Every structure is written in C-alpha cells, then in structure tokens.
Amino acid sequence: GAVVSQHPSWVICKSGTSVKIECRSLDFQATTMFWYRQFPKQSLMLMATSNEGSKATYEQGVEKDKFLINHASLTLSTLTVTSAHPEDSSFYICSARSRRDYEQYFGPGTRLTVT
Amino acid sequence: GQNIDQPTEMTATEGAIVQINCTYQTSGFNGLFWYQQHAGEAPTFLSYNVLDGLEEKGRFSSFLSRSKGYSYLLLKELQMKDSASYLCAALDSNYQLIWGAGTKLIIKP
C-alpha cells in the first residue's frame, strides 16, 4: 500500500512555456502533499506544502506565482511551472502523507529539462 | 534554528558494516526517519524511530537517543546495491520533516 505516482516521469520543454506535473496517491487519501526540488548531487529542497482544499504554503525563496500548486482532492496535487527557464531544470519530487501516520510516501519524481 | 547534521560521504567495503550518524536540533520532536535514495530516483523509506533505542529490520538497524539529539543507521553485510545516499529527517513540532543533506555511501568490492 501507500503508493504515490507522478506524471510525467520526464519532460523537455522550451523556455517560456508552462509544464504541469501531477502527483497522485493511489491507495490512500493524502491530507498533505509536499513538493520538493532536487538539483544534481544536492539534497531535497522543500518547495511547498499543500493541504487538500486550501492554499499551499511556500518555503522562503520559492516564487508562488511561478510554481503554482493545486491540491483539489485528497488524491491529487499538481505543480505547474509557469514560464519555465533553463534554471528551472531539475528533479521534482512529490510526497504524500495520510492522516494515519506521519511518514511521507514519495512519488518516483519528474525530471524537467528546459531548453 | 532547526538543523540536521550528517556526514557528506562515507566509503565502506562489500560485506562489512557501516554506521551513518545523524544529529538533529529541531523545534519539538516527533520522530526521526531514514530514507535511501539511489541516484536519479526518489527517496524510499527505511525506518522511523520515535522512542529511544535500536530498531532492527533485516540488514538495516536504526538507533535513536532523544536526550542526545542523535541517531544512527547501521548497515550490515554491505552489498554493492547499498551504494546510495542516506537521508536523515526529523519530524518537528508541526509534523514537518526537516531534512539533512544526505550521506553518500560508496561501497567498494
């Protein structure tokens, strides 16, 4: 149990375009979802925390107008990278947490390359 | 402030034992997690400790001392596939995970 999926697994887009990444909890209800970014050979960086039905809480230094997060249901959260630039190229990972425990279940990640 | 410290990199030999240490300072404490992350992949859960002591799970064990703000992950009978980064993360009073930078473990034959 506790499976989290992410789509797409990888995406290449042109500079200036927007990209949407989906994160789904497949067999449990995720009251909280987290979005992380990880640059090569660096640790996870929390971007934002979202609770179902409410606005996301962004970490300091993360532009909320650039990284739009929607957590419309207990099983789906989306991250939209708007007006992407090459420096946004990174590995984006979501995780989900249920009411039952405090473990975070990670999706497989999405590798974004902006050309 | 909140802080997690763990070594940046460790090297060990196949078949041996390695201990990865982690010290934490958080606003409140609700447990400590260890995750394994292979290059290019998302982290996978290894262990969770909230009470003092040692939790053993196969070749991996995790220890916690709340009074010392200290944890370690013990890996026995090392295999080449254990080469990965090991992330220590503490759950603070708001139930937010505070992440360490990770320890890259290199296993040599």
Side-chain angles (χ1 to χ4, degrees), chain A residues 37-53:
Chain A
R37 181 167 54 182
Q38 187 174 36
F39 293 105
K41 298 184 180 179
Q42 294 186 24
S43 189
L44 297 171
M45 286 174 46
L46 180 65
M47 298 175 68
T49 302
S50 73
N51 293 298
E52 184 264 338

Side-chain angles (χ1 to χ4, degrees), chain A residues 25-41:
Chain A
S25 56
L26 299 184
D27 52 0
F28 68 101
Q29 293 186 328
T31 51
T32 306
M33 284 186 169
F34 304 86
W35 286 96
Y36 294 86
R37 181 167 54 182
Q38 187 174 36
F39 293 105
K41 298 184 180 179

